[in-house]
C-alpha cells in the first residue's frame, strides 16, 4: 500500500469520526497523520521493508504507526472497516470528491441513495440534488465542478508527488560506475505543476548496466519493457517512468528534444528551418549538406542556433526564443537567492515543531530571517486565547532573538480574512507584530464580486503585509476561488502590498501564469513555504520553480532581500 492510499484511509477516518461527532482532537490527529504521510519523501512500505522504524517519522505516533503497519501488511484496517460499517455504503467514494464534506456526503447517501461520483453527477443533472432542502442550484453546480476537478486529477500527477519519487530513484542510480548524466526531462524538468509520464535520460559508459539497475530499484512496482538502452517502469503512485540512455555525445540533443515544451520546440524548429537547419532528438541537420551536428549538452545546442541557453522553466513559447537571440533573457531567481521565509507554522496552531526548531532549520538553510505566522483562528483555538498567544509569541521571539547572530525571528500571524471581509484580529493587536499575512480559509464559494471585495479589502487594511495563497486552490482537490485577480493585482500595487507564491506543492498559488502577469505589472511578490514542519521549509524550491516559470528575477521577489531591507519594507523598526 502506497503512502497516498494510507493517507486516504486516515482522511476518511477523520471524516467519519466527524460525522459521529467524535472528540475534535482525535479527528485532528487522523487528519494530521494523513497530511504528514501524503508528503513523506519515502514510501512507508519501503521503509518497513528496509527495517526502518515508522514511529521515527516526526508527527507519527504509536497508534498511527500501528495502523499504518496493519495497512501495509494486510492491505486492510480492522478499525476502519468497523467504522465504515456504521455508515451507508458508498459514503467513502462520495467523501473522495473534493469539497464534499462528511455531512453532505451523509445526506446524499441517505436522502438520495447516491453512492458514487457517477450517480451523484446523474442526480445533479436531473435536479434531485438541487431540490434537497438547504442545497439549491448553486451548491449542486459547485459539486458538479468538484466532480470534474476530481476526474481531471486522475490523468496527471501533482509535481509535488512525482518529484520526490523521481529524485529518489535517480539518487540511487547516479553513483553507479561510469554514469555521467542522469536527469528527468519533460514537464517535470520544466517544473509544471502536474506531470504525465516521466522521461528520464542519461549517459553512461555501460548503459545496459544502468538500465538493469533501474528496473531493479526497490521503487519499481512493475516493469513494462526493458531493452539494452531503455526501459519503462511503473513507480509508486502509478507514475510511468521511461529511462533512455544515449551516447555522451548525443545527450544535449536528446535532453533538449524531450524537455519540450511542444510549443517551444515547434517555434524553435520553425525558426531553425529558415536558417536551413532541421532539429531532432539526434541533433541539428544542415539541410543543404545533410550533415548532422551532435550535441553533448544543451548549451552548445542552443549556441549553435545563435541562441542563449534557455532555462527549461520558460520553454513555453512566450517570447523566450527572440530574447535568447538578442542575448536578453532575464537572470531567473534561484533557490540560493532566497534569504528568508515569511510564512510558517509551529505547534501553536497546526504545525508540528517548535519555534526554536523552525529557527534552527531556517538557519541551516542559510536564511537571515523567518516569520512565525501561526493561524489566527480555527483549529480549535478559543478566541480569548488568541490574544494571549500573540503576546506570548512577541515575548518569545524577543527572547530567542537575543540568542542568534545573523538571524532574526519575526513575530507574525496568518490572519483569517473572514467571509464578510473583516479580519479575525483587532488592528491594535496586528500592529504589534512584525509581519501580518492575510488569508482566505473559509467561504470559498462566494461570488466573484464578493470574493474580490473581500481580498481587496484586506489588501487595503494598513496592518496586512502579505496576502497568502491568493486563489486558495489545492491542486486536484479544490478549484481556485472565483476572484478578479487583475483587480487584486491593481490593489496590491496601489497599497504597495505583497502577494504570495505559496510553495506547498499542492498549492503553488499564485500559479505560474498569474505570477507572470503580476511580475509584469510590478506587483511585489514573496515566495513562502507555509511550512508546517521543519522539513517543509525545504519545499521553497517548488515556489522558486513557479517563480521561474513566471519569469521572476531575484529582484522581483521580496524575500531575496536582506533583513534590513525587509524590515524597512514592512515598516517595522
Ligand atoms: Zn493558509
Ligand atoms: Zn499557512
Amino acid at each position: 500500500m502506497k503512502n497516498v492510499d494510507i493517507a486516504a484511509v486516515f482522511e476518511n477516518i477523520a471524516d467519519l469520526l466527524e460525522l459521529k461527532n467524535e472528540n475534535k482532537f482525535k479527528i485532528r490527529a487522523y487528519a494530521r497523520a494523513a497530511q504528514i504521510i501524503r508528503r513523506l519523501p519515502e514510501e512507508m512500505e519501503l521503509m518497513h521493508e528496509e527495517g526502518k522504524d515508522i514511529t521515527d517519522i516526526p508527527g507519527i505516533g504509536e497508534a498511527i504507526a500501528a495502523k499504518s503497519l496493519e495497512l501495509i501488511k494486510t492491505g486492510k484496517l480492522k478499525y476502519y472497516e468497523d467504522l465504515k460499517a456504521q455508515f451507508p455504503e458508498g459514503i467513502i467514494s462520495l467523501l473522495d470528491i473534493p469539497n464534499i464534506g462528511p455531512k453532505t456526503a451523509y445526506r446524499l447517501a441517505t436522502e438520495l441513495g447516491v453512492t458514487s461520483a457517477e450517480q451523484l453527477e446523474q442526480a445533479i443533472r436531473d435536479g434531485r440534488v438541487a431540490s434537497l432542502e438547504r442545497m439549491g442550484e448553486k451548491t449542486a453546480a459547485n459539486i458538479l465542478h468538484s466532480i470534474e476537478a476530481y476526474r481531471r486529477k486522475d490523468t496527471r500527477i501533482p509535481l509535488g508527488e512525482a518529484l520526490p519519487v523521481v529524485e529518489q530513484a535517480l539518487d540511487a542510480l547516479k553513483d553507479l560506475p561510469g554514469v555521467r548524466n542522469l536527469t528527468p526531462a519533460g514537464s517535470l524538468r520544466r517544473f509544471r505543476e502536474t506531470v504525465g509520464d516521466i522521461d528520464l535520460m542519461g549517459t553512461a559508459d555501460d548503459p545496459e548496466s544502468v538500465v538493469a539497475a533501474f528496473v531493479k530499484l526497490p521503487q519499481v512496482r512493475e516493469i513494462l519493457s526493458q531493452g539494452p538502452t531503455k526501459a519503462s517502469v511503473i513507480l509508486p503512485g502509478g507514475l510511468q517512468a521511461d529511462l533512455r540512455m544515449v551516447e555522451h555525445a548525443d545527450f544535449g540533443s536528446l535532453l533538449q528534444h524531450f524537455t519540450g515544451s511542444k510549443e517551444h520546440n515547434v517555434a524553435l524548429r520553425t525558426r531553425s528551418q529558415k536558417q536551413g537547419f532541421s532539429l531532432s532528438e539526434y541533433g541539428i541537420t544542415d539541410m543543404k549538406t545533410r550533415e548532422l551536428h551532435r550535441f553533448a549538452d544543451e548549451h552548445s545546442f542552443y549556441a549553435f542556433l545563435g541562441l542563449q541557453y534557455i532555462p527549461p522553466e520558460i520553454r513555453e513559447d512566450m517570447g523566450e526564443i527572440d530574447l535568447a537571440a538578442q542575448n536578453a533573457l532575464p537572470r531567473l531567481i534561484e533557490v540560493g537567492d532566497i534569504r528568508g521565509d515569511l510564512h510558517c507554522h509551529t505547534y501553536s496552531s497546526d504545525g508540528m515543531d517548535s519555534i526554536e526548531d523552525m529557527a534552527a532549520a531556517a538557519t541551516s538553510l542559510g536564511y537571515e530571517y523567518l516569520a512565525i505566522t501561526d493561524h489566527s483562528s480555527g483549529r480549535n483555538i478559543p478566541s480569548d486565547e488568541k490574544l494571549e498567544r500573540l503576546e506570548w509569541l512577541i515575548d518569545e521571539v524577543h527572547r530567542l532573538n537575543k540568542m542568534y547572530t545573523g538571524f532574526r525571528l519575526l513575530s507574525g500571524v496568518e490572519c483569517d480574512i473572514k467571509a464578510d471581509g473583516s479580519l479575525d484580529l483587532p488592528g491594535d493587536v496586528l500592529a504589534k507584530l512584525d509581519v501580518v499575512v492575510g488569508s482566505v480559509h473559509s467561504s470559498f464559494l462566494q461570488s466573484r464580486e464578493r470574493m474580490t471585495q473581500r481580498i481587496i479589502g484586506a489588501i487595503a487594511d494598513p496592518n496586512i503585509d502579505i496576502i497568502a495563497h491568493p486563489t486558495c486552490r489545492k491542486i486536484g482537490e479544490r478549484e481556485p476561488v472565483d476572484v478578479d485577480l487583475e483587480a487584486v493585482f491593481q490593489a496590491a500595487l496601489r497599497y504597495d502590498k505583497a502577494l504570495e507564491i505559496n510553495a506547498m506543492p499542492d498549492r503553488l498559488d499564485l500559479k505560474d501564469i498569474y505570477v507572470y502577469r503580476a511580475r509584469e505589472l510590478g506587483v511585489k511578490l514573496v515566495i513562502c513555504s507555509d511550512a508546517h514542519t521543519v522539513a517543509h521549509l525545504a519545499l521553497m524550491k517548488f515556489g522558486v520553480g513557479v517563480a521561474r516559470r513566471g519569469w521572476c528575477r531575484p529582484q522581483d521577489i521580496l524575500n531575496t532581500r536582506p533583513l534590513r531591507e525587509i524590515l524597512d519594507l514592512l515598516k517595522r523598526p
Side-chain angles (χ1 to χ4, degrees):
M1 223 181 188
K2 319 235 180 354
N3 289 349
V4 281
D5 305 316
I6 297 169
V9 168
F10 290 139
E11 233 155 52
N12 289 342
I13 290 176
D15 285 342
L16 294 178
L17 291 177
E18 199 179 325
L19 267 180
K20 286 186 68 177
N21 270 325
E22 279 269 4
N23 176 308
K24 283 214 159 41
F25 291 100
K26 193 169 163 189
I27 298 171
R28 190 168 142 194
Y30 282 105
R32 260 188 185 192
Q35 194 189 8
I36 294 168
I37 291 168
R38 199 179 285 284
R39 288 180 181 142
L40 283 180
E42 238 181 310
E43 288 291 325
M44 294 215 299
E45 196 177 25
L46 216 65
M47 295 173 68
H48 175 62
E49 274 168 35
E50 289 169 355
K52 288 185 198 160
D53 191 353
I54 289 179
T55 48
D56 284 349
I57 302 169
I60 299 290
E62 300 261 337
I64 295 287
K67 288 193 169 72
S68 305
L69 276 182
E70 189 180 332
L71 283 166
I72 290 167
K73 286 184 195 156
T74 68
K76 274 194 167 183
L77 180 61
K78 181 160 183 316
Y79 173 75
Y80 179 46
E81 299 301 323
D82 290 348
L83 189 63
K84 270 198 296 190
Q86 301 169 32
F87 293 92
E89 208 180 326
I91 194 163
I92 294 299
S93 45
L94 296 181
L95 283 172
D96 277 347
I97 303 168
N99 293 325
I100 296 201
K103 296 206 170 67
T104 307
Y106 187 78
R107 286 192 63 197
L108 292 167
T110 50
E111 294 175 35
L112 293 177
V114 159
T115 58
S116 69
E118 289 70 32
Q119 288 177 14
L120 179 56
E121 185 177 353
Q122 195 51 49
I124 293 168
R125 295 203 187 280
D126 59 29
R128 277 181 291 150
V129 173
S131 65
L132 286 180
E133 208 179 319
R134 285 172 287 120
M135 278 291 194
E137 296 285 347
K138 192 147 178 280
T139 309
N142 285 326
I143 295 177
L144 196 56
H145 233 69
S146 300
I147 295 176
E148 281 156 8
Y150 171 64
R151 294 218 172 103
R152 267 200 300 284
K153 190 192 173 168
D154 285 343
T155 53
R156 289 179 73 86
I157 292 167
L159 177 69
E161 282 176 31
L163 192 63
V165 175
V166 172
E167 279 179 344
Q168 213 183 357
L170 292 185
D171 270 355
L173 297 177
K174 69 176 196 306
D175 294 330
L176 291 175
V179 171
R180 248 195 258 172
N181 297 294
L182 207 52
T183 176
S187 44
L188 189 71
R189 182 164 181 245
R190 300 200 319 279
F191 249 79
R192 270 198 61 178
E193 63 192 36
T194 59
V195 298
D197 292 348
I198 309 289
D199 289 308
L200 305 173
M201 34 217 52
T203 71
D205 301 334
D206 177 11
E208 199 161 354
S209 69
V210 178
V211 174
F214 174 64
V215 298
K216 281 201 207 87
L217 285 176
Q219 290 93 337
V220 168
R221 294 284 182 269
E222 197 186 333
I223 303 170
L224 301 175
S225 68
Q226 182 184 358
T229 60
K230 52 184 174 183
S232 290
V233 303
I234 300 289
L235 295 176
L239 270 182
Q240 181 177 335
D242 303 332
L243 172 68
R244 226 176 290 250
M245 302 296 292
V246 289
E247 284 180 41
H248 298 308
D250 293 324
F251 183 65
S253 315
L254 184 82
L255 184 59
Q256 198 288 324
H257 181 83
F258 282 102
T259 295
S261 67
K262 205 170 114 206
E263 291 74 14
H264 172 82
N265 282 356
V266 166
L268 197 61
R269 220 175 294 145
T270 311
R271 180 180 182 276
S272 307
Q273 261 159 10
K274 290 181 195 142
Q275 300 171 305
F277 299 119
S278 103
L279 311 182
S280 73
E281 62 184 278
Y282 307 105
I284 302 176
T285 308
D286 187 317
M287 295 197 297
K288 256 194 219 123
T289 64
R290 304 309 303 163
E291 187 192 353
L292 174 70
H293 299 268
R294 298 164 69 187
F295 299 93
D297 62 75
E298 284 185 322
H299 281 82
S300 54
F301 182 98
Y302 280 105
F304 184 89
L305 297 170
L307 299 172
Q308 215 180 339
Y309 172 75
I310 302 176
E313 296 92 337
I314 62 169
R315 296 184 196 169
E316 299 286 348
D317 192 24
M318 299 271 285
E320 71 276 11
I321 297 171
D322 285 343
L323 284 176
Q326 298 157 30
N327 206 26
L329 284 177
R331 200 289 252 169
L332 300 181
I333 182 173
E334 289 164 19
V335 172
D337 295 318
I338 298 289
R339 298 214 201 194
D341 199 332
L342 296 171
H343 177 180
C344 79
H345 300 268
T346 68
Y347 53 53
S348 285
S349 63
D350 55 351
M352 245 25 108
D353 293 303
S354 66
I355 299 178
E356 289 98 317
D357 289 344
M358 296 299 279
T363 49
S364 74
L365 290 171
Y367 288 171
E368 295 172 24
Y369 46 90
L370 175 71
I372 304 294
T373 57
D374 279 302
H375 289 283
S376 62
S377 77
R379 285 80 173 170
N380 313 313
I381 308 158
S383 61
D384 52 331
E385 258 182 46
K386 282 186 207 168
L387 306 185
E388 261 171 51
R389 267 194 351 175
L390 288 174
E391 295 291 345
W392 173 83
L393 175 70
I394 291 168
D395 289 346
E396 189 64 3
V397 160
H398 188 70
R399 182 182 74 83
L400 289 168
N401 275 336
K402 287 187 190 141
M403 299 174 358
Y404 305 127
T405 43
F407 174 79
R408 182 156 157 185
L409 279 169
L410 302 173
S411 60
V413 73
E414 181 174 8
C415 183
D416 278 358
I417 305 167
K418 295 197 284 191
D420 64 2
S422 66
L423 297 178
D424 192 34
L425 288 164
D428 57 332
V429 174
L430 294 177
K432 290 185 195 161
L433 297 161
D434 294 325
V435 185
V436 178
V437 175
S439 310
V440 167
H441 286 128
S442 60
S443 305
F444 298 115
L445 300 173
Q446 283 180 336
S447 70
R448 185 178 182 84
E449 206 188 346
R450 280 192 73 184
M451 185 58 84
T452 305
Q453 273 173 5
R454 181 178 175 187
I455 294 175
I456 290 180
I459 290 174
D461 188 292
N463 288 307
I464 291 280
D465 301 301
I466 297 165
I467 298 292
H469 45 75
T471 76
C472 306
R473 65 133 175 205
K474 287 212 170 165
I475 296 171
E477 198 180 311
R478 183 167 68 220
E479 294 287 290
V481 296
D482 193 3
V483 58
D484 179 353
L485 277 177
E486 197 66 23
V488 168
F489 294 161
Q490 294 301 340
L493 280 173
R494 188 168 351 120
Y495 294 100
D496 199 24
K497 300 296 174 70
L499 301 181
E500 180 186 67
I501 301 171
N502 189 294
M504 270 290 160
D506 57 348
R507 287 193 184 269
L508 303 181
D509 178 14
L510 294 171
K511 71 183 253 139
D512 49 12
I513 51 171
Y514 301 137
V515 171
Y516 186 95
R517 177 63 181 153
R519 176 200 45 81
E520 211 172 36
L521 292 169
V523 174
K524 282 185 180 146
L525 295 165
V526 292
I527 310 174
C528 302
S529 69
D530 197 358
H532 286 65
T533 75
V534 290
H536 287 167
L537 285 167
L539 296 174
M540 183 62 83
K541 67 177 176 188
F542 287 94
V544 170
V546 173
R548 287 171 66 86
R549 289 182 59 80
W551 292 55
C552 289
R553 306 159 300 168
Q555 60 265 43
D556 298 315
I557 304 295
L558 286 190
N559 50 322
T560 61
R561 309 213 186 153
L563 176 67
R564 188 64 259 161
E565 280 182 47
I566 285 287
L567 292 174
D568 288 345
L569 283 163
L570 295 168
K571 297 168 194 76
R572 303 303 205 275

